[in-house]
Amino acid sequence: MQNAQHDLPELTRSDLGVHFARLRKAQRAQPFPDWSQRAARLLALRRLLLENRQAIIAAINNDFGQRPAQETELLELAPTLAGIAHALHAGPRWMRARRRATGWQLWPARAQVLPQPRGVVGIVVPWNYPVFLAFGPLIAAFAAGNRALIKLSEASPALCQLLQQLCPHYFAQDELVFLGGDVSQAKAFVELPFDYLLFTGSTSVGRSVMQTAAKNLTPVTLELGGKSPALILNDYDFEQAVSRILYGKLVNAGQTCIAPDYVLLPRGREADFIAIAKRWTQRHYPDFPQDFASMATPAQYQRMQKIHDDALTLGALAHALVPPQANSAESRFFTPYVYTGVPDDARLLNEELFGPLLPLVPYDDLEQALSYIDQRPQPLALYAFTRSRKKQTRILRETQAGGVTINDTLLHIAAADLPFGGVGQSGMGAYHGQAGFDTFSHLKPVLRQGVVRAMDWLEPPYGDVFARVIRLLLK
């Protein structure tokens, strides 16, 4: 089962320049759209999704090979529509000028922060959640009053072609443009002098994007990845923890940037985890691979096989969670596995997996588990399962992660007003909700001074009045 071929026209640097110049000209002609104009764009975005729901689902399924329609609805369309609804409700409040204190020294001045649209923003989208990771940033960009160029992955040709066909029916050509293209065209895209650039993808490519953007001093948000741990403590219901971890791991076949990437569990509970995981998986996927996503590209499938083989070569044990399948490079379905006895130098414990592979790492006490997390690069997400508020607080204070869900997985990304982003090697900056609005706004500081001012007492020639006032200021 191969991705269907879609003959998208090759995008040249000249084409990119034309698109960018058109949006830049329109933004300069209307640098501060009022809320009615911003809301109209958000409503158009909602209509595009709702009126073309089945076509979008089919396009994503085509690009993946197999992606359950229900997963596209639940994990892409539903949170995107929730984000639009939240922005429509809260946007007028976000765009108001925000009062700030000045201190008596600047009396009678008044200060405020004015959120101002940045201008033309670029959004680079990966293949794993192409709607949510394109429209999520776009919601914030539109709410903040910007126009946007969106670069979709070369692994999403059917969706790209569909959105290119649909976009002119909902947006003017100087409001929003969807682009496709290969790696070379992606490089040309990030070389454009955007007013802001948001990239979602791997850490290695993120470094390159940041270097390229720096040539234009383009500010960037990088949403990257990393090995997101799931930590189970003894006080939590073990079966429920395993079930929630398995859901977060196997939805979209693990091709989720915030999927649990390894499990820290009390030593001696490995066999319990495997038994529960097998029961859960076979109950939820009784006719595997029905209701299960395929690896989205041949390269992704081959990478899973190499990581799996590397672990076995180094002595790890692989436990299939469904009756062993004849993994097929043609269909690209990969059997979900849990691994025990994984050596520290295995790829399983050193690379973001992005697939249905889950290594177990036993620990003896919480101190050891937190130390294990701390010794590794900061992950994009962290999941902790404990009923103890005291232990929850300790975990939150002693670990760093882009975001955290306590006693579940994935859900922090779906909270419309929680910032979403990474820290350290898992990224920088954040979006969603007001954090997204602020990301795509220049928060311009403004001070308004009165006719008479305290500073008049500090002008030369410096005499007794100056001396008395400066004594007050220097206290």
Side-chain angles (χ1 to χ4, degrees):
M1 175 171 42
Q2 300 293 334
N3 298 57
Q5 296 298 312
H6 294 262
D7 297 324
L8 297 175
E10 184 176 352
L11 194 67
T12 67
R13 288 177 184 269
S14 176
D15 295 329
L16 281 170
V18 169
H19 288 304
F20 181 82
R22 184 183 295 120
L23 270 68
R24 173 60 60 77
K25 181 180 179 181
Q27 187 72 19
R28 285 176 174 166
Q30 191 183 41
F32 201 98
D34 61 26
W35 178 249
S36 66
Q37 294 167 306
R38 304 180 192 199
R41 291 172 185 167
L42 291 170
L43 290 168
L45 201 60
R46 183 165 68 182
R47 289 198 309 275
L48 187 156
L49 289 170
L50 291 175
E51 294 171 4
N52 302 281
R53 169 183 162 192
Q54 294 304 323
I56 290 169
I57 290 170
I60 293 175
N61 184 69
N62 191 324
D63 287 332
F64 262 74
Q66 175 171 302
R67 217 273 199 101
Q70 297 87 343
E71 292 191 357
T72 298
E73 291 175 322
L74 177 64
L75 302 175
E76 300 220 58
L77 299 182
T80 301
L81 291 168
I84 293 172
H86 182 64
L88 286 168
H89 172 73
R93 171 171 51 85
W94 296 339
M95 70 180 291
R96 291 178 196 149
R98 307 169 192 180
R99 293 184 63 181
R100 293 291 187 268
T102 59
W104 65 267
Q105 298 91 337
L106 298 181
W107 179 89
R110 296 291 180 267
Q112 62 180 199
V113 170
L114 178 66
Q116 184 172 31
R118 287 187 179 269
V120 179
V121 303
I123 300 170
V124 182
V125 185
W127 47 261
N128 59 324
Y129 289 95
V131 169
F132 183 55
L133 296 177
F135 286 30
L138 181 60
I139 292 165
F142 274 170
N146 301 281
R147 296 161 193 262
L149 276 173
I150 297 182
K151 168 67 178 71
L152 294 168
S153 169
E154 69 276 11
S156 303
L159 181 65
C160 183
Q161 185 177 72
L162 175 65
L163 292 177
Q164 287 177 335
Q165 292 170 350
L166 294 175
C167 192
H169 297 286
Y170 296 88
F171 298 98
Q173 61 180 351
D174 59 8
E175 287 182 305
L176 173 64
V177 178
F178 288 97
L179 304 171
D182 59 16
V183 173
S184 65
Q185 290 160 337
K187 290 180 179 178
F189 182 90
V190 300
E191 288 174 354
L192 292 170
F194 288 110
D195 299 298
Y196 203 91
L197 181 65
L198 187 144
F199 168 83
T200 303
S202 70
T203 300
S204 60
V205 178
R207 290 192 180 98
S208 176
V209 168
M210 190 171 182
Q211 290 174 342
T212 301
K215 297 175 184 177
N216 292 313
L217 295 180
T218 298
V220 298
T221 287
L222 302 177
E223 194 273 277
L224 305 176
K227 296 193 70 63
S228 297
L231 171 60
I232 308 175
L233 274 63
N234 269 322
D235 64 72
Y236 196 84
D237 181 286
F238 194 75
E239 183 158 357
Q240 185 178 89
V242 175
S243 299
R244 293 179 178 182
I245 290 169
L246 262 290
Y247 178 81
K249 183 60 177 180
L250 298 186
V251 72
N252 204 32
Q255 297 166 112
T256 304
C257 59
I258 58 170
D261 224 52
Y262 65 96
V263 178
L264 286 159
L265 76 171
R267 191 178 303 278
R269 301 301 304 271
E270 298 93 324
D272 296 335
F273 189 104
I274 294 164
I276 295 168
K278 286 182 177 180
R279 289 198 302 269
W280 188 94
T281 306
Q282 292 172 27
R283 183 169 69 250
H284 288 83
Y285 301 99
D287 300 311
F288 183 90
Q290 183 177 323
D291 296 327
F292 202 78
S294 60
M295 296 293 98
T297 67
Q300 182 69 356
Y301 177 88
Q302 292 161 9
R303 182 171 170 272
M304 289 302 99
Q305 190 65 57
K306 290 177 180 178
I307 292 174
H308 173 81
D309 292 344
D310 172 75
L312 299 188
T313 298
L314 293 175
L317 297 177
H319 310 270
L321 298 185
V322 296
Q325 307 289 308
N327 287 338
S328 166
E330 182 179 358
S331 66
R332 302 200 304 275
F333 291 112
F334 205 93
T335 301
Y337 285 95
V338 167
Y339 300 83
T340 54
V342 183
D344 287 342
D345 58 346
R347 293 178 66 180
L348 269 172
L349 291 178
N350 290 280
E351 297 182 20
E352 182 182 9
L353 298 176
F354 232 64
L357 317 179
L358 187 62
L360 303 184
V361 179
Y363 70 86
D364 296 307
D365 54 41
L366 181 57
E367 188 78 30
Q368 184 185 44
L370 295 180
S371 176
Y372 188 92
I373 296 170
D374 184 59
Q375 291 171 14
R376 283 152 180 77
Q378 301 100 317
L380 185 57
L382 183 146
Y383 306 109
F385 292 82
T386 174
R387 297 293 184 194
S388 167
R389 286 298 184 94
K390 183 177 180 180
K391 291 176 182 177
Q392 291 175 14
T393 299
R394 182 181 178 190
I395 293 166
L396 290 172
R397 289 179 175 176
E398 296 185 20
T399 61
Q400 285 196 336
V404 178
T405 293
I406 300 290
N407 298 336
D408 212 330
T409 59
L410 308 185
L411 295 185
H412 63 283
I413 197 175
D417 205 31
L418 273 182
F420 175 68
V423 60
Q425 292 192 39
S426 62
M428 62 177 65
Y431 65 103
H432 287 186
Q434 184 170 347
F437 178 92
D438 289 353
T439 287
F440 290 109
S441 300
H442 169 53
L443 301 180
K444 180 188 289 185
V446 179
L447 186 138
R448 291 182 171 88
Q449 186 58 279
V451 176
V452 178
R453 58 176 191 157
M455 288 297 295
D456 292 335
W457 300 331
L458 297 175
E459 293 178 348
Y462 304 119
D464 291 342
V465 173
F466 177 89
R468 288 195 295 271
V469 175
I470 201 69
R471 279 197 296 270
L472 290 172
L473 292 176
L474 297 180
K475 279 188 176 180

PDB file of all heavy atoms in Angstrom, residues 421-454:
ATOM      1  N   GLY A 421       4.411  23.786  23.884  1.00  0.00           N
ATOM      2  CA  GLY A 421       5.729  24.000  23.312  1.00  0.00           C
ATOM      3  C   GLY A 421       6.758  23.203  24.085  1.00  0.00           C
ATOM      4  O   GLY A 421       6.437  22.485  25.033  1.00  0.00           O
ATOM      5  N   GLY A 422       8.007  23.330  23.675  1.00  0.00           N
ATOM      6  CA  GLY A 422       9.080  22.561  24.277  1.00  0.00           C
ATOM      7  C   GLY A 422       9.989  23.410  25.136  1.00  0.00           C
ATOM      8  O   GLY A 422       9.780  24.605  25.328  1.00  0.00           O
ATOM      9  N   VAL A 423      11.031  22.742  25.650  1.00  0.00           N
ATOM     10  CA  VAL A 423      12.048  23.402  26.453  1.00  0.00           C
ATOM     11  C   VAL A 423      13.370  22.705  26.148  1.00  0.00           C
ATOM     12  O   VAL A 423      13.405  21.499  25.923  1.00  0.00           O
ATOM     13  CB  VAL A 423      11.712  23.331  27.964  1.00  0.00           C
ATOM     14  CG1 VAL A 423      11.621  21.899  28.443  1.00  0.00           C
ATOM     15  CG2 VAL A 423      12.715  24.120  28.798  1.00  0.00           C
ATOM     16  N   GLY A 424      14.448  23.470  26.103  1.00  0.00           N
ATOM     17  CA  GLY A 424      15.735  22.865  25.774  1.00  0.00           C
ATOM     18  C   GLY A 424      15.715  22.253  24.387  1.00  0.00           C
ATOM     19  O   GLY A 424      15.256  22.866  23.420  1.00  0.00           O
ATOM     20  N   GLN A 425      16.184  21.005  24.278  1.00  0.00           N
ATOM     21  CA  GLN A 425      16.254  20.363  22.968  1.00  0.00           C
ATOM     22  C   GLN A 425      14.889  19.960  22.423  1.00  0.00           C
ATOM     23  O   GLN A 425      14.790  19.557  21.258  1.00  0.00           O
ATOM     24  CB  GLN A 425      17.178  19.141  23.040  1.00  0.00           C
ATOM     25  CG  GLN A 425      18.630  19.506  23.257  1.00  0.00           C
ATOM     26  CD  GLN A 425      19.565  18.337  23.039  1.00  0.00           C
ATOM     27  OE1 GLN A 425      19.378  17.528  22.133  1.00  0.00           O
ATOM     28  NE2 GLN A 425      20.582  18.234  23.871  1.00  0.00           N
ATOM     29  N   SER A 426      13.837  20.056  23.231  1.00  0.00           N
ATOM     30  CA  SER A 426      12.506  19.736  22.705  1.00  0.00           C
ATOM     31  C   SER A 426      11.811  20.974  22.137  1.00  0.00           C
ATOM     32  O   SER A 426      10.671  20.880  21.686  1.00  0.00           O
ATOM     33  CB  SER A 426      11.638  19.097  23.795  1.00  0.00           C
ATOM     34  OG  SER A 426      11.431  19.968  24.885  1.00  0.00           O
ATOM     35  N   GLY A 427      12.499  22.111  22.142  1.00  0.00           N
ATOM     36  CA  GLY A 427      11.937  23.266  21.454  1.00  0.00           C
ATOM     37  C   GLY A 427      12.025  24.544  22.254  1.00  0.00           C
ATOM     38  O   GLY A 427      12.580  24.599  23.348  1.00  0.00           O
ATOM     39  N   MET A 428      11.455  25.599  21.673  1.00  0.00           N
ATOM     40  CA  MET A 428      11.413  26.904  22.333  1.00  0.00           C
ATOM     41  C   MET A 428      10.169  27.635  21.877  1.00  0.00           C
ATOM     42  O   MET A 428       9.702  27.470  20.753  1.00  0.00           O
ATOM     43  CB  MET A 428      12.651  27.731  22.001  1.00  0.00           C
ATOM     44  CG  MET A 428      12.817  28.069  20.534  1.00  0.00           C
ATOM     45  SD  MET A 428      14.238  29.123  20.226  1.00  0.00           S
ATOM     46  CE  MET A 428      15.573  28.033  20.712  1.00  0.00           C
ATOM     47  N   GLY A 429       9.609  28.435  22.784  1.00  0.00           N
ATOM     48  CA  GLY A 429       8.389  29.154  22.472  1.00  0.00           C
ATOM     49  C   GLY A 429       7.174  28.256  22.650  1.00  0.00           C
ATOM     50  O   GLY A 429       7.289  27.050  22.888  1.00  0.00           O
ATOM     51  N   ALA A 430       6.004  28.851  22.552  1.00  0.00           N
ATOM     52  CA  ALA A 430       4.764  28.110  22.768  1.00  0.00           C
ATOM     53  C   ALA A 430       3.634  28.769  22.008  1.00  0.00           C
ATOM     54  O   ALA A 430       3.705  29.944  21.643  1.00  0.00           O
ATOM     55  CB  ALA A 430       4.437  28.040  24.262  1.00  0.00           C
ATOM     56  N   TYR A 431       2.588  28.006  21.779  1.00  0.00           N
ATOM     57  CA  TYR A 431       1.366  28.542  21.194  1.00  0.00           C
ATOM     58  C   TYR A 431       0.181  27.816  21.805  1.00  0.00           C
ATOM     59  O   TYR A 431       0.339  27.066  22.757  1.00  0.00           O
ATOM     60  CB  TYR A 431       1.381  28.477  19.665  1.00  0.00           C
ATOM     61  CG  TYR A 431       1.400  27.086  19.075  1.00  0.00           C
ATOM     62  CD1 TYR A 431       0.247  26.522  18.548  1.00  0.00           C
ATOM     63  CD2 TYR A 431       2.585  26.350  18.999  1.00  0.00           C
ATOM     64  CE1 TYR A 431       0.252  25.254  17.982  1.00  0.00           C
ATOM     65  CE2 TYR A 431       2.606  25.078  18.434  1.00  0.00           C
ATOM     66  CZ  TYR A 431       1.440  24.542  17.931  1.00  0.00           C
ATOM     67  OH  TYR A 431       1.453  23.294  17.371  1.00  0.00           O
ATOM     68  N   HIS A 432      -1.010  28.068  21.283  1.00  0.00           N
ATOM     69  CA  HIS A 432      -2.326  27.679  21.805  1.00  0.00           C
ATOM     70  C   HIS A 432      -2.822  28.790  22.744  1.00  0.00           C
ATOM     71  O   HIS A 432      -2.072  29.330  23.555  1.00  0.00           O
ATOM     72  CB  HIS A 432      -2.316  26.347  22.568  1.00  0.00           C
ATOM     73  CG  HIS A 432      -2.180  25.146  21.687  1.00  0.00           C
ATOM     74  ND1 HIS A 432      -2.275  23.856  22.170  1.00  0.00           N
ATOM     75  CD2 HIS A 432      -1.978  25.012  20.354  1.00  0.00           C
ATOM     76  CE1 HIS A 432      -2.116  22.992  21.191  1.00  0.00           C
ATOM     77  NE2 HIS A 432      -1.928  23.681  20.071  1.00  0.00           N
ATOM     78  N   GLY A 433      -4.102  29.095  22.623  1.00  0.00           N
ATOM     79  CA  GLY A 433      -4.725  30.061  23.509  1.00  0.00           C
ATOM     80  C   GLY A 433      -4.045  31.415  23.488  1.00  0.00           C
ATOM     81  O   GLY A 433      -3.509  31.853  22.462  1.00  0.00           O
ATOM     82  N   GLN A 434      -4.048  32.094  24.635  1.00  0.00           N
ATOM     83  CA  GLN A 434      -3.443  33.416  24.688  1.00  0.00           C
ATOM     84  C   GLN A 434      -1.945  33.359  24.449  1.00  0.00           C
ATOM     85  O   GLN A 434      -1.372  34.289  23.884  1.00  0.00           O
ATOM     86  CB  GLN A 434      -3.719  34.095  26.032  1.00  0.00           C
ATOM     87  CG  GLN A 434      -3.176  35.515  26.071  1.00  0.00           C
ATOM     88  CD  GLN A 434      -3.628  36.305  27.272  1.00  0.00           C
ATOM     89  OE1 GLN A 434      -4.539  35.898  27.984  1.00  0.00           O
ATOM     90  NE2 GLN A 434      -3.011  37.453  27.486  1.00  0.00           N
ATOM     91  N   ALA A 435      -1.301  32.249  24.844  1.00  0.00           N
ATOM     92  CA  ALA A 435       0.131  32.114  24.570  1.00  0.00           C
ATOM     93  C   ALA A 435       0.394  32.172  23.069  1.00  0.00           C
ATOM     94  O   ALA A 435       1.380  32.773  22.621  1.00  0.00           O
ATOM     95  CB  ALA A 435       0.657  30.805  25.149  1.00  0.00           C
ATOM     96  N   GLY A 436      -0.487  31.553  22.264  1.00  0.00           N
ATOM     97  CA  GLY A 436      -0.337  31.615  20.815  1.00  0.00           C
ATOM     98  C   GLY A 436      -0.580  33.010  20.289  1.00  0.00           C
ATOM     99  O   GLY A 436       0.147  33.503  19.414  1.00  0.00           O
ATOM    100  N   PHE A 437      -1.620  33.664  20.800  1.00  0.00           N
ATOM    101  CA  PHE A 437      -1.894  35.052  20.404  1.00  0.00           C
ATOM    102  C   PHE A 437      -0.674  35.923  20.689  1.00  0.00           C
ATOM    103  O   PHE A 437      -0.261  36.726  19.840  1.00  0.00           O
ATOM    104  CB  PHE A 437      -3.110  35.567  21.159  1.00  0.00           C
ATOM    105  CG  PHE A 437      -3.456  37.001  20.865  1.00  0.00           C
ATOM    106  CD1 PHE A 437      -4.364  37.310  19.861  1.00  0.00           C
ATOM    107  CD2 PHE A 437      -2.877  38.031  21.589  1.00  0.00           C
ATOM    108  CE1 PHE A 437      -4.673  38.632  19.579  1.00  0.00           C
ATOM    109  CE2 PHE A 437      -3.183  39.355  21.312  1.00  0.00           C
ATOM    110  CZ  PHE A 437      -4.088  39.659  20.307  1.00  0.00           C
ATOM    111  N   ASP A 438      -0.090  35.773  21.871  1.00  0.00           N
ATOM    112  CA  ASP A 438       1.068  36.590  22.228  1.00  0.00           C
ATOM    113  C   ASP A 438       2.286  36.239  21.383  1.00  0.00           C
ATOM    114  O   ASP A 438       3.088  37.120  21.042  1.00  0.00           O
ATOM    115  CB  ASP A 438       1.393  36.431  23.711  1.00  0.00           C
ATOM    116  CG  ASP A 438       0.364  37.109  24.611  1.00  0.00           C
ATOM    117  OD1 ASP A 438      -0.527  37.808  24.086  1.00  0.00           O
ATOM    118  OD2 ASP A 438       0.457  36.932  25.840  1.00  0.00           O
ATOM    119  N   THR A 439       2.441  34.953  21.038  1.00  0.00           N
ATOM    120  CA  THR A 439       3.556  34.549  20.176  1.00  0.00           C
ATOM    121  C   THR A 439       3.501  35.275  18.840  1.00  0.00           C
ATOM    122  O   THR A 439       4.529  35.750  18.332  1.00  0.00           O
ATOM    123  CB  THR A 439       3.510  33.028  19.949  1.00  0.00           C
ATOM    124  OG1 THR A 439       3.910  32.364  21.143  1.00  0.00           O
ATOM    125  CG2 THR A 439       4.438  32.594  18.813  1.00  0.00           C
ATOM    126  N   PHE A 440       2.318  35.382  18.266  1.00  0.00           N
ATOM    127  CA  PHE A 440       2.180  35.986  16.950  1.00  0.00           C
ATOM    128  C   PHE A 440       1.850  37.480  17.016  1.00  0.00           C
ATOM    129  O   PHE A 440       1.401  38.060  16.024  1.00  0.00           O
ATOM    130  CB  PHE A 440       1.116  35.239  16.146  1.00  0.00           C
ATOM    131  CG  PHE A 440       1.552  33.856  15.741  1.00  0.00           C
ATOM    132  CD1 PHE A 440       0.989  32.736  16.312  1.00  0.00           C
ATOM    133  CD2 PHE A 440       2.549  33.680  14.792  1.00  0.00           C
ATOM    134  CE1 PHE A 440       1.389  31.462  15.949  1.00  0.00           C
ATOM    135  CE2 PHE A 440       2.967  32.412  14.417  1.00  0.00           C
ATOM    136  CZ  PHE A 440       2.391  31.289  14.996  1.00  0.00           C
ATOM    137  N   SER A 441       2.082  38.075  18.176  1.00  0.00           N
ATOM    138  CA  SER A 441       1.902  39.511  18.338  1.00  0.00           C
ATOM    139  C   SER A 441       3.213  40.132  18.809  1.00  0.00           C
ATOM    140  O   SER A 441       3.982  39.502  19.543  1.00  0.00           O
ATOM    141  CB  SER A 441       0.822  39.822  19.393  1.00  0.00           C
ATOM    142  OG  SER A 441      -0.427  39.290  19.038  1.00  0.00           O
ATOM    143  N   HIS A 442       3.458  41.364  18.393  1.00  0.00           N
ATOM    144  CA  HIS A 442       4.493  42.154  19.041  1.00  0.00           C
ATOM    145  C   HIS A 442       3.823  42.896  20.181  1.00  0.00           C
ATOM    146  O   HIS A 442       2.908  43.692  19.958  1.00  0.00           O
ATOM    147  CB  HIS A 442       5.127  43.149  18.078  1.00  0.00           C
ATOM    148  CG  HIS A 442       6.013  44.147  18.766  1.00  0.00           C
ATOM    149  ND1 HIS A 442       7.029  43.776  19.616  1.00  0.00           N
ATOM    150  CD2 HIS A 442       6.000  45.509  18.756  1.00  0.00           C
ATOM    151  CE1 HIS A 442       7.621  44.850  20.085  1.00  0.00           C
ATOM    152  NE2 HIS A 442       7.016  45.916  19.588  1.00  0.00           N
ATOM    153  N   LEU A 443       4.229  42.610  21.404  1.00  0.00           N
ATOM    154  CA  LEU A 443       3.631  43.252  22.571  1.00  0.00           C
ATOM    155  C   LEU A 443       4.327  44.595  22.767  1.00  0.00           C
ATOM    156  O   LEU A 443       5.311  44.710  23.490  1.00  0.00           O
ATOM    157  CB  LEU A 443       3.747  42.332  23.792  1.00  0.00           C
ATOM    158  CG  LEU A 443       3.082  40.964  23.619  1.00  0.00           C
ATOM    159  CD1 LEU A 443       3.256  40.120  24.885  1.00  0.00           C
ATOM    160  CD2 LEU A 443       1.599  41.093  23.269  1.00  0.00           C
ATOM    161  N   LYS A 444       3.777  45.599  22.091  1.00  0.00           N
ATOM    162  CA  LYS A 444       4.432  46.901  22.006  1.00  0.00           C
ATOM    163  C   LYS A 444       4.203  47.710  23.290  1.00  0.00           C
ATOM    164  O   LYS A 444       3.065  48.007  23.655  1.00  0.00           O
ATOM    165  CB  LYS A 444       3.873  47.678  20.818  1.00  0.00           C
ATOM    166  CG  LYS A 444       4.502  49.056  20.634  1.00  0.00           C
ATOM    167  CD  LYS A 444       3.769  49.857  19.572  1.00  0.00           C
ATOM    168  CE  LYS A 444       4.040  49.287  18.196  1.00  0.00           C
ATOM    169  NZ  LYS A 444       3.417  50.126  17.145  1.00  0.00           N
ATOM    170  N   PRO A 445       5.285  48.094  23.995  1.00  0.00           N
ATOM    171  CA  PRO A 445       5.122  48.931  25.183  1.00  0.00           C
ATOM    172  C   PRO A 445       4.881  50.393  24.785  1.00  0.00           C
ATOM    173  O   PRO A 445       5.561  50.923  23.911  1.00  0.00           O
ATOM    174  CB  PRO A 445       6.450  48.769  25.914  1.00  0.00           C
ATOM    175  CG  PRO A 445       7.435  48.409  24.854  1.00  0.00           C
ATOM    176  CD  PRO A 445       6.676  47.689  23.779  1.00  0.00           C
ATOM    177  N   VAL A 446       3.894  50.988  25.418  1.00  0.00           N
ATOM    178  CA  VAL A 446       3.525  52.379  25.110  1.00  0.00           C
ATOM    179  C   VAL A 446       3.430  53.160  26.416  1.00  0.00           C
ATOM    180  O   VAL A 446       2.784  52.715  27.371  1.00  0.00           O
ATOM    181  CB  VAL A 446       2.174  52.448  24.371  1.00  0.00           C
ATOM    182  CG1 VAL A 446       1.790  53.894  24.084  1.00  0.00           C
ATOM    183  CG2 VAL A 446       2.238  51.634  23.081  1.00  0.00           C
ATOM    184  N   LEU A 447       4.080  54.325  26.486  1.00  0.00           N
ATOM    185  CA  LEU A 447       3.979  55.212  27.647  1.00  0.00           C
ATOM    186  C   LEU A 447       3.431  56.554  27.191  1.00  0.00           C
ATOM    187  O   LEU A 447       3.919  57.131  26.219  1.00  0.00           O
ATOM    188  CB  LEU A 447       5.338  55.387  28.313  1.00  0.00           C
ATOM    189  CG  LEU A 447       5.329  56.191  29.622  1.00  0.00           C
ATOM    190  CD1 LEU A 447       6.226  55.557  30.666  1.00  0.00           C
ATOM    191  CD2 LEU A 447       5.728  57.646  29.393  1.00  0.00           C
ATOM    192  N   ARG A 448       2.390  57.028  27.883  1.00  0.00           N
ATOM    193  CA  ARG A 448       1.785  58.324  27.577  1.00  0.00           C
ATOM    194  C   ARG A 448       2.068  59.278  28.732  1.00  0.00           C
ATOM    195  O   ARG A 448       1.709  59.007  29.874  1.00  0.00           O
ATOM    196  CB  ARG A 448       0.283  58.180  27.357  1.00  0.00           C
ATOM    197  CG  ARG A 448      -0.102  57.425  26.092  1.00  0.00           C
ATOM    198  CD  ARG A 448      -1.623  57.378  25.920  1.00  0.00           C
ATOM    199  NE  ARG A 448      -1.998  56.850  24.614  1.00  0.00           N
ATOM    200  CZ  ARG A 448      -2.165  55.564  24.348  1.00  0.00           C
ATOM    201  NH1 ARG A 448      -1.984  54.675  25.314  1.00  0.00           N
ATOM    202  NH2 ARG A 448      -2.502  55.155  23.139  1.00  0.00           N
ATOM    203  N   GLN A 449       2.710  60.391  28.422  1.00  0.00           N
ATOM    204  CA  GLN A 449       3.086  61.356  29.449  1.00  0.00           C
ATOM    205  C   GLN A 449       2.129  62.532  29.479  1.00  0.00           C
ATOM    206  O   GLN A 449       1.511  62.871  28.456  1.00  0.00           O
ATOM    207  CB  GLN A 449       4.524  61.851  29.199  1.00  0.00           C
ATOM    208  CG  GLN A 449       5.099  62.748  30.266  1.00  0.00           C
ATOM    209  CD  GLN A 449       5.108  62.100  31.635  1.00  0.00           C
ATOM    210  OE1 GLN A 449       4.076  62.093  32.324  1.00  0.00           O
ATOM    211  NE2 GLN A 449       6.247  61.553  32.040  1.00  0.00           N
ATOM    212  N   GLY A 450       1.994  63.142  30.646  1.00  0.00           N
ATOM    213  CA  GLY A 450       1.120  64.297  30.806  1.00  0.00           C
ATOM    214  C   GLY A 450       1.823  65.609  30.479  1.00  0.00           C
ATOM    215  O   GLY A 450       3.015  65.656  30.154  1.00  0.00           O
ATOM    216  N   VAL A 451       1.091  66.705  30.600  1.00  0.00           N
ATOM    217  CA  VAL A 451       1.640  68.029  30.305  1.00  0.00           C
ATOM    218  C   VAL A 451       2.697  68.400  31.332  1.00  0.00           C
ATOM    219  O   VAL A 451       3.775  68.903  31.004  1.00  0.00           O
ATOM    220  CB  VAL A 451       0.506  69.082  30.289  1.00  0.00           C
ATOM    221  CG1 VAL A 451       1.081  70.483  30.088  1.00  0.00           C
ATOM    222  CG2 VAL A 451      -0.505  68.746  29.192  1.00  0.00           C
ATOM    223  N   VAL A 452       2.395  68.165  32.601  1.00  0.00           N
ATOM    224  CA  VAL A 452       3.362  68.387  33.667  1.00  0.00           C
ATOM    225  C   VAL A 452       3.906  67.028  34.074  1.00  0.00           C
ATOM    226  O   VAL A 452       3.183  66.037  34.108  1.00  0.00           O
ATOM    227  CB  VAL A 452       2.687  69.076  34.876  1.00  0.00           C
ATOM    228  CG1 VAL A 452       3.682  69.264  36.014  1.00  0.00           C
ATOM    229  CG2 VAL A 452       2.074  70.395  34.456  1.00  0.00           C
ATOM    230  N   ARG A 453       5.188  66.969  34.428  1.00  0.00           N
ATOM    231  CA  ARG A 453       5.784  65.680  34.757  1.00  0.00           C
ATOM    232  C   ARG A 453       6.797  65.820  35.881  1.00  0.00           C
ATOM    233  O   ARG A 453       7.423  66.884  36.060  1.00  0.00           O
ATOM    234  CB  ARG A 453       6.471  65.070  33.538  1.00  0.00           C
ATOM    235  CG  ARG A 453       7.551  65.959  32.969  1.00  0.00           C
ATOM    236  CD  ARG A 453       8.294  65.327  31.828  1.00  0.00           C
ATOM    237  NE  ARG A 453       9.486  66.133  31.525  1.00  0.00           N
ATOM    238  CZ  ARG A 453      10.559  65.666  30.910  1.00  0.00           C
ATOM    239  NH1 ARG A 453      10.571  64.427  30.501  1.00  0.00           N
ATOM    240  NH2 ARG A 453      11.592  66.443  30.694  1.00  0.00           N
ATOM    241  N   ALA A 454       6.971  64.737  36.620  1.00  0.00           N
ATOM    242  CA  ALA A 454       7.934  64.730  37.717  1.00  0.00           C
ATOM    243  C   ALA A 454       9.356  64.936  37.207  1.00  0.00           C
ATOM    244  O   ALA A 454      10.197  65.517  37.902  1.00  0.00           O
ATOM    245  CB  ALA A 454       7.825  63.418  38.486  1.00  0.00           C
TER     246      ALA A 454
END
